Amino acid sequence: MNMILPWILENIEKKSEALLVGYDTFPGAVLEVILGQFSPIGKLPLTLPKNSKVIGVDEYGVSISLNDVPGYDKDKYMREGMTYAYVDQAGNEYRSGFGLN
C-alpha cells in the first residue's frame, strides 16, 4: 500500500497476515523486498490514528484531535481516556519513528 497520508489500520490488520507499506517507493524496490532480495528497513514519518473516532468531530463540529498538533504529540490534547496512535494486536504502537532498523 502506498501511504502518503495516515491510514486507519484497524480493519486491515484483522484481515491480513502482513502489510507492506511504501511512501511513493519505487516499484522495483518493493519487489526486491517481496522476493527476499533486500531486508525491509524504515521508520514511520507520521503517526497512524487508532480509529476513525480519534480523527472525527464531535456533535458541535469540533475536531476530536487538534489538526495543528502533530500525531506524535496529540495524546496531550486528546479528551480524557482517549489516545491517538494505533496499537496492533502484538502491542506495537504506530507513532512517528516506529519501524525497522
Side-chain angles (χ1 to χ4, degrees), residues 20-21 25 27-41 100:
L20 181 61
V21 175
T25 308
V30 174
L31 188 58
E32 288 176 357
V33 170
I34 292 170
L35 296 174
Q37 298 170 348
F38 185 79
S39 294
I41 58 171
L100 304 169

Side-chain angles (χ1 to χ4, degrees), residues 11 21 37 58 84 101:
N11 294 326
V21 175
Q37 298 170 348
D58 65 14
Y84 181 79
N101 290 325

Side-chain angles (χ1 to χ4, degrees), residues 4-68:
I4 56 173
L5 295 171
W7 283 60
I8 297 173
L9 300 179
E10 181 177 49
N11 294 326
I12 296 172
E13 182 188 8
K14 295 174 187 173
K15 297 176 179 163
S16 64
E17 292 295 320
L19 186 60
L20 181 61
V21 175
Y23 298 89
D24 280 342
T25 308
F26 291 110
V30 174
L31 188 58
E32 288 176 357
V33 170
I34 292 170
L35 296 174
Q37 298 170 348
F38 185 79
S39 294
I41 58 171
K43 302 232 179 211
L44 283 174
L46 43 78
T47 299
L48 299 180
K50 178 187 286 187
N51 53 39
S52 58
K53 291 178 186 172
V54 300
I55 61 171
V57 295
D58 65 14
E59 63 273 12
Y60 305 107
V62 176
S63 179
I64 301 297
S65 58
L66 301 175
N67 293 327
D68 59 345

Side-chain angles (χ1 to χ4, degrees), residues 68-82:
D68 59 345
V69 175
Y72 62 82
D73 220 18
K74 284 190 186 264
D75 284 350
K76 294 179 186 175
Y77 304 95
M78 296 297 293
R79 294 179 180 175
E80 188 173 331
M82 292 184 82

